[in-house]
Amino acid sequence: VAAEICLTDIWTRWGYTPDIVIGHSVGELTAAFCAGLYSLEEILLLSYEIGKIAQNLEGTMFHGSLTEEQIKELDVSLSSRNFTVESKTHVTVSCTSDQIAAFSKQHPDFIRMKPPHPWHHRSYQDFTGDFPDFPSRSGSEVLFVSGVTSRFESELADNHWQQWLAQPIDFISAMTAIENKFPEAEL
């Protein structure tokens, strides 16, 4: 998150300022900061708190493509819907340590990713009870689209980040929200 914020600061200094921000997974933290929903101190503290929760599950993530029917039949946690090509949706799934071998055997075409934690795994809901609320301020700098809600948001619900931890990111629907709001834009 800190590196992404530094990059956005450099781009801003070069004269590039976004009209809309959207982040995929951890990128949503940086996007929320860029939209003015949180101060730098708040977003870094939020990142730290998310990291503390993430330590509760060991595992990894895999990326590949599935049909909608296959997605419905997954026995691991869907982490994100990334994009669609032809009749398949490119997804990221999360596996806890005890699920990795079985998933790899069942889906040898999926690529194993490097994270040591299964981000957006539904089991994170078991650990969010102690997660502090992080109310956002009302954003006014740039438009923000959430991968959690798949909507333009000017303010985030107090439990937004608990939802972010334990449910899939729907990047496809978030991009569709932008396309619907700005049909003439080239994305």
Side-chain angles (χ1 to χ4, degrees):
V1 172
E4 290 174 358
I5 289 172
C6 288
L7 285 172
T8 59
D9 183 57
I10 289 170
W11 296 327
T12 301
R13 290 171 192 243
W14 289 346
Y16 298 102
T17 55
D19 296 318
I20 302 168
V21 290
I22 182 173
H24 189 290
S25 189
V26 176
E28 186 151 332
L29 291 153
T30 303
F33 167 75
C34 291
L37 300 174
Y38 296 96
S39 70
L40 179 60
E41 181 180 345
E42 290 167 335
I43 208 69
L44 294 177
L45 180 58
L46 175 57
S47 300
Y48 172 77
E49 292 294 336
I50 287 172
K52 284 181 8 184
I53 296 289
Q55 294 178 70
N56 288 298
L57 290 178
E58 289 188 21
T60 195
M61 301 170 81
F62 290 87
H63 174 79
S65 59
L66 298 169
T67 64
E68 285 302 314
E69 190 61 38
Q70 291 171 314
I71 292 170
K72 291 176 190 171
E73 295 172 1
L74 278 172
D75 57 355
V76 297
S77 191
L78 177 66
S79 291
S80 64
R81 294 173 170 272
N82 305 315
F83 58 93
T84 302
V85 175
E86 297 169 2
S87 63
K88 292 200 172 185
T89 301
H90 286 255
V91 297
T92 305
V93 298
S94 289
C95 299
T96 55
S97 298
D98 59 330
Q99 298 171 319
I100 293 171
F103 185 83
S104 292
K105 186 175 180 178
Q106 187 178 14
H107 298 278
D109 55 327
F110 268 61
I111 298 168
R112 186 173 178 169
M113 299 169 71
K114 303 285 185 194
H117 305 291
W119 290 100
H120 310 293
H121 196 285
R122 59 184 164 255
S123 293
Y124 278 122
Q125 66 191 355
D126 299 338
F127 304 102
T128 58
D130 295 332
F131 193 84
D133 282 344
F134 275 88
S136 72
R137 59 180 54 88
S138 197
S140 60
E141 296 176 29
V142 298
L143 297 174
F144 171 80
V145 180
S146 169
V148 174
T149 66
S150 300
R151 295 188 313 255
F152 283 85
E153 303 286 355
S154 58
E155 196 169 334
L156 297 178
D158 290 351
N159 69 344
H160 177 83
W161 299 104
Q162 288 92 329
Q163 292 176 8
W164 178 92
L165 273 163
Q167 75 181 39
I169 300 300
D170 191 345
F171 199 68
I172 296 169
S173 294
M175 289 299 295
T176 299
I178 296 171
E179 290 172 346
N180 290 341
K181 187 170 179 99
F182 301 101
E184 302 300 319
E186 290 186 40
L187 301 177

